Amino acid sequence: LHYPLRRQRQMCIRDRSQIEFAPLSASQAWLTRIFATSFGFGYSPFAPGTTGTLPALALFAIWPIWGEWWFLPAAAVIFLLGVPLAAWAERLWKRTDPGHVSIDEVVGYMVTIAFVPTTYPLLVAVIGFFVFRFFDIVKPPPTRKLEYLPAGWGVMADDVMAGIYGNILMQITFRLFLY
């Protein structure tokens, strides 16, 4: 049978929500609770995605010490670690893309501010935070489609795409108007 794309997506969501999640080992559960929630920031009862982005601001604080060359590779490493952690989180909390998971927010924010001129570092940090949150909430195309990737890939990839949109806007803003 051939279903229109919209119907296939609806079936995909329904199928993913009916997955029987295998239990995690004690060490996997511990790692997930600590790192996938950005050291517990994802447990915030108020806007866990926004609150979960805050640890990335701490990484931005050490940017002047190490220079900007390390920021994007660090985001790539956190992304690659975040994929299995996000998949484990889905198994731990028995639902797809649990709200507690915020390691994806950290990566998305890092992508948003990577290689943005830091003439005004505090301005970059604050505007980058709000720009990333905007694109993460609005999810312009194809960001929403990336959520349908399997397991941890879907959790992480949509935030990276939101970060790419954010980075484009930040580059234009800071290079044309504030550099």
Side-chain angles (χ1 to χ4, degrees):
L1 287 169
H2 181 267
Y3 292 101
L5 182 61
R6 181 181 206 128
R7 176 78 175 136
Q8 287 177 353
R9 255 192 262 143
Q10 289 171 348
M11 290 176 62
C12 178
I13 293 171
R14 193 173 314 123
D15 291 345
R16 279 187 71 198
S17 66
Q18 295 175 356
I19 295 171
E20 289 196 27
F21 295 96
L24 296 176
S25 70
S27 60
Q28 288 173 322
W30 182 83
L31 287 170
T32 300
R33 285 189 178 100
I34 298 297
F35 295 111
T37 63
S38 300
F39 301 101
F41 281 86
Y43 287 118
S44 170
F46 175 74
T50 302
T51 309
T53 309
L54 294 176
L57 291 171
L59 291 173
F60 183 78
I62 61 174
W63 180 325
I65 298 168
W66 290 355
E68 67 180 31
W69 63 269
W70 70 274
F71 216 65
L72 202 54
V77 168
I78 295 171
F79 175 84
L80 292 174
L81 293 173
V83 170
L85 286 170
W88 291 350
E90 288 183 333
R91 288 170 50 193
L92 180 65
W93 288 299
K94 295 179 176 49
R95 61 179 179 216
T96 57
D97 201 357
H100 299 311
V101 175
S102 55
I103 192 168
D104 53 336
E105 317 295 338
V106 171
V107 172
Y109 176 76
M110 292 176 74
V111 170
T112 299
I113 61 171
F115 302 112
V116 174
T118 55
T119 309
Y120 307 101
L122 185 59
L123 199 58
V124 169
V126 172
I127 291 175
F129 181 83
F130 288 109
V131 164
F132 168 69
R133 291 305 302 148
F134 171 78
F135 284 115
D136 188 34
I137 292 166
V138 172
K139 297 193 186 304
T143 309
R144 181 135 346 254
K145 285 185 181 182
L146 293 173
E147 290 181 323
Y148 299 110
L149 293 173
W153 292 101
V155 174
M156 299 296 290
D158 72 309
D159 289 280
V160 170
M161 191 69 219
I164 291 170
Y165 277 115
N167 188 276
I168 291 168
L169 182 60
M170 293 289 288
Q171 294 292 344
I172 291 169
T173 302
F174 279 86
R175 292 192 186 275
L176 293 181
F177 303 111
L178 298 173
Y179 188 59

